[in-house]
Amino acid sequence: MTKEEQRIEEILARIRTCVDEKRVQPGVKERTKNEGFLRTYCVKQIERYSMLKELTVQNYCEERLDQQKTEGEYDPILYVFGLKKKLKLKLDPGEKDVEIYIKVQFFKLKNDDKDYTLLVSFHEAEHPLKYMFKR
């Protein structure tokens, strides 16, 4: 495993810890794309968190600098992952193979040094994703 892969594994460990300790929250205002995704597919909140725990280094796509949040509590980096899942459609019988675009950001609460995970994006990918470590 390369140093970069190890670094991503550490990020994933932070995400898993946040999920296990119930320190994950959707963005302050759930984005329209995220809401539409949850309405289109039979994905409940607990399943979203389960999918976060499924992520591996091979699901890593990229990092982006956050241009919107300037408060010190937010990590300036947004982490992007992709996950391919077979999901049930709410209004249609059957299932569909879906590539899910997942973007997270870490933050801290005042007077608390623990990591929290902000679930910025969780919706169907609009374009094919490029995976950095896909084998």
Side-chain angles (χ1 to χ4, degrees):
M1 185 178 280
T2 67
K3 285 188 183 222
E4 183 63 8
E5 288 172 309
Q6 288 175 338
R7 188 180 71 80
I8 300 306
E9 186 53 55
E10 289 168 9
I11 290 163
L12 290 167
R14 289 170 69 190
I15 292 170
R16 287 184 204 109
T17 298
C18 288
V19 171
D20 288 343
E21 297 179 6
K22 297 181 178 19
R23 293 194 317 260
V24 177
Q25 66 183 74
V28 176
K29 182 179 179 204
E30 187 79 37
R31 296 182 61 208
T32 306
K33 290 179 195 175
N34 299 349
E35 290 174 349
F37 176 80
L38 297 176
R39 276 195 305 270
T40 301
Y41 300 98
C42 296
V43 177
K44 295 180 172 66
Q45 185 98 336
I46 195 161
E47 292 166 315
R48 276 202 298 187
Y49 296 155
S50 176
M51 289 180 205
L52 286 174
K53 288 181 70 169
E54 284 180 41
L55 294 175
T56 68
V57 171
Q58 287 75 38
N59 297 110
Y60 173 75
C61 295
E62 65 178 329
E63 293 173 12
R64 296 185 178 176
L65 213 57
D66 187 351
Q67 303 293 326
Q68 296 177 1
K69 291 189 182 66
T70 56
E71 305 94 52
E73 298 95 33
Y74 286 90
D75 186 321
I77 299 172
L78 298 162
Y79 300 95
V80 178
F81 296 89
L83 183 65
K84 294 180 181 176
K85 295 290 284 185
K86 190 174 285 284
L87 299 175
K88 292 181 181 179
L89 292 157
K90 265 191 183 168
L91 301 176
D92 246 336
E95 297 178 323
K96 179 181 174 186
D97 288 321
V98 179
E99 185 172 40
I100 304 167
Y101 177 85
I102 301 167
K103 183 166 48 175
V104 300
Q105 181 176 35
F106 294 107
F107 69 98
K108 296 193 184 295
L109 297 175
K110 291 179 181 165
N111 303 320
D112 188 350
D113 63 343
K114 293 180 181 176
D115 279 329
Y116 288 76
T117 299
L118 181 67
L119 192 51
V120 178
S121 295
F122 196 98
H123 55 77
E124 191 165 358
E126 296 172 324
H127 308 285
L129 297 174
K130 293 181 183 174
Y131 298 90
M132 297 293 292
F133 304 109
K134 201 78 156 186
R135 294 183 173 101

